[in-house]
Amino acid sequence: MARSSSAKPPVTKVASSTSPKPKNQIKKKHDDYTSDGVKDNDIFLLPVSDYQVMLVLTILGAIVRLFRIYQPTSVVFDEVHFGGFATKYIKGKFFMDVHPPLAKLLITLFGWLAGFKGDFDFKEIGKDYLEPGVPYVAMRLFPAICGIFLVPTVFLTLKAAGTRTATAALGAAFIIFENGLLTQARLILLDSPLVAATAFTALAFTSFTNQHEQGPSKAFDASWWFWLVMTGLGMGITVSIKWVGLFTIAWVGSLTLVQLWVLLGDTKTVTMRIFAKHFLARAFCLIIIPATFYMAMFAIHFVCLRNPGDGDGFMSSEFQATLNNKGMQDVPVDVAFGSRVTIRHVNTQGGYLHSHPLMYPTGSQQQQITLYPHKDDNNLFLLENQTQPLDINGEPINGTGAWDTAKNITENYIRNGDVIRLYHLATHRRLHSHDVRPPVSEADWQNEVSAYGYEGFAGDANDLFRVEIAKKQSLGPVAKDRLRTIQTKFRLVHIMTGCVLFSHKVKLPEWASEQQEVTCAKGGTLPNSLWYIESNAHPQLAGDAERVNYVNPGFFGKFWELQKVMWRTNAGLVESHAWDSRPESWPILRRGINFWGKEHRQIYLMGNPIVWYTATLAVVTYVLFKGIAVLRWQRSCNDYSNETFKRFDYEIGTSVLGWAFHYFPFFLMQRQLFLHHYFPALVFGIMAFCQIYDFATARFAIPGIRENPIVNKAGVITLLAISAVVFALYSPLAYGNAWTKTECNRVKLFSTWDWDCNNFLESYDAYSGVSASASAISQTPQPAVDNKQPPVQQQQQEAPKAGISGAPKFEPQGQKVIGREERVEYRDQDGNILNEEQVKALEGKVEFKTKYETRTRVVDANGNEVDVPIEDLAAAGVAPPHPDVQGANQETKKVVKDDPIPKEASSSKDGEKEAERSVPKPASEGNEATV
């Protein structure tokens, strides 16, 4: 970027033969911070003709974005998540998403105003909207309005930057005919609001910069203040939609620092008092206003989500206690031998120490110990001393109620270093460990933890654990000396092996209801081996005993905790996705994203190549220009004495800097990334191209061009026509319209553009037949489905035992399951089936990943198999597979680590939770969508 106008360029001696400039061309140099060559480009003072052009472009943008917005009439890609969030907002059920709440709140508002009552779950791609009467068009309308708003915003931003009206119209037309922006603006997604907010911030800051560069005469007047406040508001809106808004803040912040640096160098008109006013004005508008707006959105978020939901497992116990029905009564604080307690894990938020009458299928085959997120009677443990108490005759008192009649309970307080046993009240077994590997984490430093014994059994030495209080994590001096409910954080060290009770974000298989694994770890990390007591009851603790409860974290505590959880979860999205891509592929439009496919139609996120490549060309052009300019500056060439040259450097550099801030940070991320992450940078690239075009046709002194406005307008018309034609060629992928194989193959220029032309029919006439077939199938009775599962599991489902954590049970509604079976196949990376010898040879050398696949046979009422083609099933409304099952993009970096996203386990009580969770959920509950 160019130096500020107040910085004097290197002086070059001029030969005496150079003729002096005419008097009318000599411009007075400013002796303050006013920039040379800047005019007042106030967008409120444009000619009426400019507003007419902008209105026509806005109407055209509305037509393009609202055309068939009802299509498709089923859930598309990440509508699974963002539509689902609207359901949870309306029901008030707490959820956790990696994105701030503003856009999701507004999507919900549009749905609620249209009558949506939160009675649709959006759980599957392809799920029909029409039959349940979902006002999905109204919910899609908000992103569409944002997409329409983007058109005049870009037009006005280019006008504020000083371009001609035709050039500004070109930028707005590029926005209209950009297929990728169109696709995002027609669906219940966040990127259209994000891009609109980013563009509004760019408009506000460009207008403020124009006021600032006019010097002291404009400082602190109404227009100056208005655009500065609007910049801060735009920053707050942008970062409240997605954290990508932080890149916008960085762009504004860096340019603001340049402005302050220039002001500091103006010693003639800017005193330190005036400089302080400039600094404080910017600090208030660009820091306080965005931060306040951002926190206000979370305040609304917390007010809306008052009830427990799928996402509260991410949050701390103190946070969860603020939700309805999650709070608890005050409980006795003193913990003694004989206390009935529930013990909770500190670090993973996985839940309570838990057991149930199911055995491990491997190892010791003793009773399972798990971590379970719900309150349940199977979480209750009785704390016993390693020896029984004595009666008045010195004889041991046997039985689990031996401590209930203790006269002096203070003598039985459990202190740091005491050795205890934990007796599981529901199954009469004690917490137990031994030198046996766990069934999942089969590392040498991990021992199995089980429940062992029977009612009346005295136990053995492997039941003994020593209490070690973590004093730094415990609250208050008393809690550092002895166990106190909630306040004391402690470790349980196994006496016989020296390992510590441990849990981490590893889920057990279905035989343990996918609850969280508990092991005994030798050298386990401190956070994962810390526990605390949440509930406590003892017969000897009177009603007036000291009691305790969770401390209410208040708004700021909840706000800060949620920010940390969002950050950790966002950073944890590192698994490869079928349609992800890396940043180096975005500027060249290497591949898109498959959003939806049904009835031989497809929605595929694909940019307009003309718009995309011209934006990239603009960035490359400026980089080459800047490189040459720097070399010439070093050689004392006097380029920067040319006013137009200097304005080109600064104005184009500002846009390219915006592009860079919204592009290069993605190279530092190892998480899932998608093409739509490039859209904010694309908008800056479009503006940079239009500015370069304007300089080339209207501002550089090129003979026969600058003086002839028709050249500028002719070029605009040509570029607009080409972009519109290319837009039309690829529009079926944006609208989900009918398309033919021939037309599809004609415009598929690269093999990396990986939509499948074979999905489309040979002719448009054939689509009428598909619609008729779909209608016929939808009117037939629902067929029976052959879902296959092991006979053993089937028997368990037929006769569930009370108190056992059974695997989730799923029966398709209105369908008859006539049989299930399961088999395991091992395949290599190319999908080839491996035999037993090949699998055995690979053991210990490679890691096999599990992939579940369901195959379905359709039978009629008489049990005869019906051969229904795949395309007919699709036409009948069968959802296509989520892109997660399509395979992984090998370019995505893989990081091996524990599952960063705690998921709810199946219930432990009579199958109640199993029934609630029988319907499959998206691949990640809102976290992937966020992407």
Side-chain angles (χ1 to χ4, degrees):
M1 289 175 49
R3 296 179 177 185
S4 66
S5 57
S6 61
K8 296 181 180 179
V11 177
T12 303
K13 293 183 179 180
V14 182
S16 58
S17 61
T18 304
S19 58
K21 290 184 178 181
K23 206 170 190 181
N24 59 356
Q25 293 185 20
I26 297 176
K27 296 186 178 180
K28 179 183 176 181
K29 296 293 181 180
H30 300 285
D31 55 0
D32 53 27
Y33 66 86
T34 303
S35 297
D36 297 329
V38 174
K39 299 178 181 178
D40 188 355
N41 299 318
D42 192 336
I43 63 171
F44 293 119
L45 302 177
L46 298 176
V48 174
S49 59
D50 284 357
Y51 296 122
Q52 292 173 340
V53 171
M54 183 182 72
L55 179 61
V56 170
L57 290 168
T58 304
I59 293 173
L60 178 60
I63 293 171
V64 169
R65 271 146 181 76
L66 298 178
F67 176 69
R68 294 181 178 175
I69 195 172
Y70 58 84
Q71 183 175 283
T73 60
S74 57
V75 178
V76 178
F77 198 56
D78 279 348
E79 287 186 337
V80 167
H81 299 300
F82 300 119
F85 292 149
T87 294
K88 292 170 184 176
Y89 269 126
I90 291 174
K91 292 185 176 181
K93 291 186 175 181
F94 186 84
F95 64 88
M96 216 299 296
D97 182 37
V98 297
H99 300 306
L102 175 57
K104 293 173 290 189
L105 285 167
L106 291 172
I107 289 170
T108 304
L109 177 62
F110 272 69
W112 179 76
L113 291 175
F116 183 50
K117 294 180 172 54
D119 48 3
F120 185 79
D121 55 24
F122 296 87
K123 282 189 176 180
E124 296 176 352
I125 295 174
K127 190 168 184 178
D128 182 57
Y129 284 136
L130 297 180
E131 184 178 351
V134 182
Y136 70 100
V137 173
M139 298 173 75
R140 287 177 178 174
L141 193 60
F142 168 64
I145 290 173
C146 292
I148 297 167
F149 173 75
L150 182 62
V151 175
T153 303
V154 170
F155 178 89
L156 292 175
T157 303
L158 290 170
K159 289 298 296 180
T163 65
R164 288 185 175 181
T165 300
T167 306
L170 174 64
F174 272 5
I175 296 296
I176 294 171
F177 296 125
E178 210 300 290
N179 299 63
L181 292 173
L182 168 66
T183 305
Q184 290 282 10
R186 294 170 46 80
L187 303 171
I188 307 172
L189 303 173
L190 303 188
D191 292 277
S192 182
L194 172 70
V195 174
T198 303
F200 173 76
T201 306
L203 166 63
F205 188 70
T206 302
S207 297
F208 170 75
T209 300
N210 179 252
Q211 298 297 306
H212 165 78
E213 288 192 303
Q214 293 178 61
S217 62
K218 289 286 187 177
F220 305 110
D221 67 4
S223 181
W224 188 95
W225 274 110
F226 175 80
W227 288 117
L228 184 59
V229 171
M230 288 299 101
T231 301
L233 183 62
M235 290 162 60
I237 292 172
T238 306
V239 78
S240 297
I241 295 172
K242 275 190 175 184
W243 277 354
V244 173
L246 293 172
F247 305 153
T248 309
I249 292 175
W251 174 67
V252 172
S254 62
L255 293 173
T256 300
L257 291 176
V258 172
Q259 293 177 0
L260 290 173
W261 183 253
V262 172
L263 287 169
L264 191 62
D266 183 1
T267 57
K268 183 174 181 180
T269 62
V270 180
T271 65
M272 291 308 297
R273 180 176 173 274
I274 294 176
F275 179 81
K277 287 179 63 178
H278 277 279
F279 178 84
L280 292 175
R282 287 166 170 81
F284 176 78
C285 294
L286 304 183
I287 297 176
I288 303 301
I289 289 178
T292 302
F293 186 91
Y294 181 75
M295 288 190 289
M297 295 303 102
F298 278 92
I300 298 172
H301 179 74
F302 292 146
V303 168
C304 294
L305 303 180
R306 293 183 174 274
N307 301 318
D310 294 338
D312 57 35
F314 289 87
M315 312 311 296
S316 69
S317 302
E318 289 82 0
F319 190 108
Q320 293 182 36
T322 64
L323 302 174
N324 294 337
N325 303 320
K326 275 283 189 174
M328 65 179 189
Q329 298 294 324
D330 294 349
V331 294
V333 69
D334 295 314
V335 180
F337 293 116
S339 288
R340 283 76 168 168
V341 300
T342 57
I343 300 175
R344 197 157 188 174
H345 195 235
V346 171
N347 194 43
T348 63
Q349 302 302 329
Y352 302 88
L353 191 66
H354 175 92
S355 188
H356 43 224
L358 280 178
M359 306 303 163
Y360 289 120
T362 61
S364 68
Q365 298 187 346
Q366 294 174 7
Q367 185 170 297
Q368 299 169 8
I369 293 288
T370 65
L371 219 60
Y372 178 64
H374 305 288
K375 293 182 178 180
D376 188 280
D377 288 343
N378 281 333
N379 302 336
L380 288 173
F381 287 84
L382 174 72
L383 301 182
E384 299 179 315
N385 198 347
Q386 59 181 325
T387 59
Q388 294 295 109
L390 303 178
D391 61 17
I392 56 174
N393 299 318
E395 296 294 328
I397 304 174
N398 295 320
T400 56
W403 290 271
D404 293 352
T405 58
K407 294 182 179 179
N408 188 0
I409 193 171
T410 59
E411 295 180 356
N412 290 323
Y413 286 160
I414 300 176
R415 303 182 183 277
N416 188 30
D418 283 353
V419 177
I420 65 172
R421 298 180 295 176
L422 289 88
Y423 183 85
H424 190 240
L425 290 169
T427 61
H428 307 290
R429 291 181 168 95
R430 291 182 177 87
L431 192 72
H432 184 90
S433 187
H434 38 222
D435 191 14
V436 175
R437 301 290 75 75
V440 175
S441 298
E442 298 181 344
D444 290 339
W445 57 276
Q446 297 268 36
N447 287 347
E448 179 189 84
V449 174
S450 63
Y452 176 68
Y454 50 86
E455 189 171 7
F457 177 62
D460 63 22
N462 280 328
D463 301 339
L464 301 178
F465 290 83
R466 183 177 66 254
V467 175
E468 285 190 359
I469 294 176
K471 296 185 178 182
K472 288 185 178 180
Q473 286 77 20
S474 300
L475 303 176
V478 179
K480 299 176 190 298
D481 178 63
R482 58 183 173 87
L483 290 187
R484 285 172 62 90
T485 307
I486 295 176
Q487 298 175 354
T488 302
K489 306 300 187 292
F490 60 92
R491 303 200 308 167
L492 292 174
V493 182
H494 190 240
I495 295 296
M496 298 302 292
T497 62
C499 60
V500 294
L501 195 66
F502 177 91
S503 185
H504 52 167
K505 294 174 183 175
V506 172
K507 297 295 182 183
L508 294 169
E510 288 187 3
W511 47 256
S513 300
E514 297 182 346
Q515 296 174 14
Q516 189 164 306
E517 183 184 50
V518 174
T519 66
C520 197
K522 301 172 185 177
T525 58
L526 180 64
N528 282 341
S529 60
L530 281 181
W531 306 81
Y532 71 95
I533 293 170
E534 182 183 76
S535 67
N536 173 30
H538 195 291
Q540 292 300 309
L541 291 173
D544 59 350
E546 181 183 358
R547 294 179 177 269
V548 71
N549 208 329
Y550 288 115
V551 176
N552 191 323
F555 167 74
F556 289 103
K558 293 173 64 177
F559 169 80
W560 183 241
E561 179 182 340
L562 184 54
Q563 304 310 300
K564 292 189 289 185
V565 171
M566 289 166 60
W567 178 270
R568 288 196 302 266
T569 306
N570 196 24
L573 296 174
V574 295
E575 292 185 3
S576 180
H577 189 285
W579 300 102
D580 67 4
S581 54
R582 302 311 300 171
E584 59 269 17
S585 70
W586 299 341
I588 59 175
L589 194 59
R590 187 171 182 270
R591 74 185 302 230
I593 308 173
N594 184 23
F595 271 14
W596 176 89
K598 196 174 181 180
E599 297 176 3
H600 300 286
R601 302 166 190 254
Q602 188 171 6
I603 293 181
Y604 184 95
L605 184 68
M606 174 68 185
N608 184 324
I610 299 300
V611 177
W612 217 272
Y613 295 147
T614 52
T616 302
L617 176 64
V619 174
V620 173
T621 300
Y622 176 77
V623 171
L624 293 175
F625 159 82
K626 188 65 177 178
I628 295 171
V630 169
L631 292 175
R632 288 177 57 81
W633 178 82
Q634 185 65 17
R635 295 296 300 167
S636 298
C637 296
N638 204 23
D639 296 329
Y640 282 97
S641 63
N642 183 297
E643 185 180 283
T644 305
F645 185 95
K646 184 163 54 177
R647 293 309 304 171
F648 179 90
D649 189 16
Y650 182 78
E651 292 176 18
I652 311 303
T654 297
S655 295
V656 173
L657 184 67
W659 174 88
F661 268 118
H662 290 81
Y663 175 60
F664 287 115
F666 288 107
F667 283 92
L668 304 177
M669 302 181 189
Q670 294 184 347
R671 56 153 290 174
Q672 294 170 352
L673 296 173
F674 298 86
L675 182 66
H676 58 71
H677 286 122
Y678 186 68
F679 284 147
L682 177 65
V683 172
F684 281 100
I686 290 172
M687 291 193 291
F689 173 78
C690 292
Q691 288 174 290
I692 292 174
Y693 176 82
D694 196 70
F695 270 93
T697 60
R699 297 177 69 174
F700 282 136
I702 303 175
I705 295 180
R706 185 173 68 175
E707 296 80 8
N708 191 0
I710 195 66
V711 175
N712 175 273
K713 294 178 181 178
V716 167
I717 293 173
T718 302
L719 288 170
L720 194 155
I722 294 173
S723 65
V725 169
V726 173
F727 164 80
L729 291 175
Y730 292 99
S731 63
L733 292 175
Y735 291 113
N737 288 340
W739 214 14
T740 65
K741 291 181 181 179
T742 302
E743 292 180 356
C744 174
N745 285 309
R746 185 184 300 129
V747 299
K748 191 174 182 180
L749 304 181
F750 307 106
S751 61
T752 55
W753 291 0
D754 49 359
W755 67 83
D756 188 1
C757 290
N758 292 323
N759 287 335
F760 301 102
L761 299 179
E762 297 291 345
S763 67
Y764 289 106
D765 293 337
Y767 280 93
S768 58
V770 170
S771 301
S773 175
S775 175
I777 292 180
S778 64
Q779 294 173 6
T780 60
Q782 283 192 327
V785 177
D786 182 8
N787 289 329
K788 310 206 170 181
Q789 282 202 350
V792 175
Q793 286 192 1
Q794 187 176 3
Q795 293 172 8
Q796 288 182 351
Q797 291 171 355
E798 290 172 358
K801 298 180 181 179
I804 296 180
S805 303
K809 179 181 179 183
F810 173 58
E811 295 290 348
Q813 296 296 319
Q815 298 176 346
K816 177 184 176 184
V817 178
I818 61 174
R820 297 186 179 94
E821 68 179 26
E822 184 180 84
R823 68 176 180 179
V824 178
E825 294 177 348
Y826 290 90
R827 296 177 181 266
D828 61 15
Q829 67 273 17
D830 300 319
N832 302 315
I833 297 179
L834 305 177
N835 58 37
E836 292 182 3
E837 293 181 359
Q838 292 172 316
V839 172
K840 190 173 182 180
L842 291 172
E843 286 182 356
K845 300 178 182 178
V846 299
E847 178 184 1
F848 287 98
K849 292 189 176 181
T850 304
K851 177 179 178 181
Y852 296 95
E853 180 178 297
T854 301
R855 297 175 183 175
T856 304
R857 291 191 306 111
V858 180
V859 298
D860 60 17
N862 299 320
N864 301 315
E865 184 170 351
V866 179
D867 186 15
V868 181
I870 295 297
E871 57 268 21
D872 288 347
L873 285 174
V878 178
H882 190 279
D884 281 338
V885 305
Q886 300 291 334
N889 178 14
Q890 299 302 319
E891 295 181 6
T892 299
K893 299 178 182 178
K894 299 179 177 63
V895 177
V896 179
K897 60 194 296 186
D898 286 344
D899 178 9
I901 305 171
K903 301 174 184 176
E904 293 211 14
S906 301
S907 178
S908 173
K909 207 168 186 178
D910 300 330
E912 294 172 1
K913 291 287 180 181
E914 285 83 343
E916 292 176 8
R917 308 191 196 293
S918 58
V919 180
K921 291 187 177 182
S924 62
E925 187 68 345
N927 303 300
E928 191 173 283
T930 107
V931 299

